[in-house]
C-alpha cells in the first residue's frame, strides 16, 4: 500500500512538473500564421528597417515601423523614396488580415498612385507580405511576389 502511494505521488509530481514546463515555452507551431496569431498583435508597436536590395542600383535600408491598434487596424511609418530621399518618412493607416502564411495590408489612400507617396505606399505597405518569421520579439516579412524587399521588425518595449 505504501509502495503504491509513493508511486502515485511520484507520477503526480512528474505530471505537474511537465505541465508547468510546457506552459512556459513558446508555441511549437511551424505555421507562420499560428505564430503571428499567437502574438496578439493588437496594442503592440514594432520598429526596424525595410530593406530593398534591387532598386535602381541603390540599396535601401530605411527605418520602418508598425503600430497594431486593434485586431484589424494599424498604422505604418515608411520611407518615401530611395537613397538620400529614404530619410523622409510618411505614415498611413491600414487594415490587415492574416491568411495562411501571409499578412495583407490595405490602406485608405485616395491620392494619386503615381505620386511619390502613392508609389511608396504601393511598394512598402499595401499588398501581401510573406511571414518569414514571427516570434514575441521579432517579425520578418517579405514582399509578395518575392521582390527582395524585407521588413525586419523588433517589438518596442513600453
Amino acid at each position: 500500500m505504501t509502495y503504491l502511494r509513493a508511486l502515485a505521488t511520484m507520477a503526480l509530481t512528474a505530471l505537474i512538473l511537465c505541465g508547468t514546463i510546457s506552459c512556459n515555452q513558446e508555441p511549437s507551431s511551424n505555421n507562420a500564421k499560428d505564430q503571428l496569431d499567437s502574438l496578439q498583435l493588437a496594442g503592440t508597436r514594432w520598429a526596424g528597417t525595410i530593406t530593398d536590395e534591387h532598386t535602381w542600383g541603390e540599396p535601401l535600408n530605411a527605418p520602418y515601423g508598425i503600430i497594431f491598434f486593434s485586431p484589424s487596424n494599424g498604422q505604418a511609418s515608411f520611407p518615401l523614396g530611395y537613397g538620400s530621399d529614404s530619410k523622409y518618412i510618411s505614415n498611413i493607416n491600414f487594415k490587415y488580415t492574416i491568411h495562411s502564411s501571409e499578412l495583407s495590408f490595405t490602406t485608405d489612400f485616395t491620392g494619386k498612385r503615381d505620386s511619390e507617396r502613392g508609389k511608396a505606399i504601393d511598394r512598402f505597405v499595401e499588398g501581401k507580405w510573406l511571414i518569414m518569421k514571427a516570434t514575441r520579439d521579432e517579425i520578418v516579412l517579405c514582399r509578395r511576389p518575392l521582390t527582395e524587399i524585407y521588413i525586419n521588425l523588433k517589438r518596442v518595449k513600453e
Side-chain angles (χ1 to χ4, degrees):
M1 183 76 160
T2 311
Y3 175 74
L4 289 175
R5 188 176 299 191
L7 188 59
T9 303
M10 287 184 355
L12 184 59
T13 303
L15 183 63
I16 291 171
L17 183 60
C18 289
T20 303
I21 291 170
S22 67
C23 289
N24 291 329
Q25 294 177 348
E26 296 238 357
S28 61
S29 172
N30 290 330
N31 182 333
K33 178 187 184 311
D34 292 343
Q35 292 172 355
L36 206 53
D37 280 346
S38 71
L39 292 179
Q40 299 175 357
L41 293 174
T44 63
R45 198 172 97 191
W46 302 79
T49 58
I50 187 162
T51 306
D52 189 343
E53 299 286 334
H54 305 285
T55 53
W56 304 313
E58 289 186 60
L60 172 70
N61 190 7
Y64 197 93
I66 294 180
I67 300 172
F68 294 99
F69 297 128
S70 73
S72 62
N73 295 306
Q75 184 179 71
S77 299
F78 57 95
L80 280 180
Y82 294 94
S84 60
D85 292 337
S86 68
K87 64 185 174 211
Y88 299 108
I89 303 295
S90 185
N91 298 309
I92 191 156
N93 292 332
F94 61 77
K95 292 188 182 302
Y96 71 97
T97 56
I98 301 169
H99 304 282
S100 185
S101 60
E102 290 181 333
L103 182 60
S104 297
F105 295 112
T106 56
T107 67
D108 55 3
F109 181 69
T110 57
K112 294 182 180 180
R113 289 292 176 172
D114 62 346
S115 69
E116 183 178 11
R117 187 164 191 254
K119 288 177 186 176
I121 289 169
D122 286 344
R123 186 145 182 95
F124 302 132
V125 182
E126 226 172 277
K128 294 180 181 181
W129 293 84
L130 180 64
I131 303 165
M132 303 293 290
K133 181 177 184 179
T135 67
R136 285 188 189 140
D137 297 318
E138 185 177 14
I139 297 174
V140 178
L141 304 172
C142 181
R143 188 67 166 159
R144 287 288 260 193
L146 301 176
T147 58
E148 304 301 325
I149 300 174
Y150 294 91
I151 299 173
N152 298 289
L153 300 168
K154 303 269 186 201
R155 184 187 294 258
V156 175
K157 306 282 189 213
E158 308 259 350

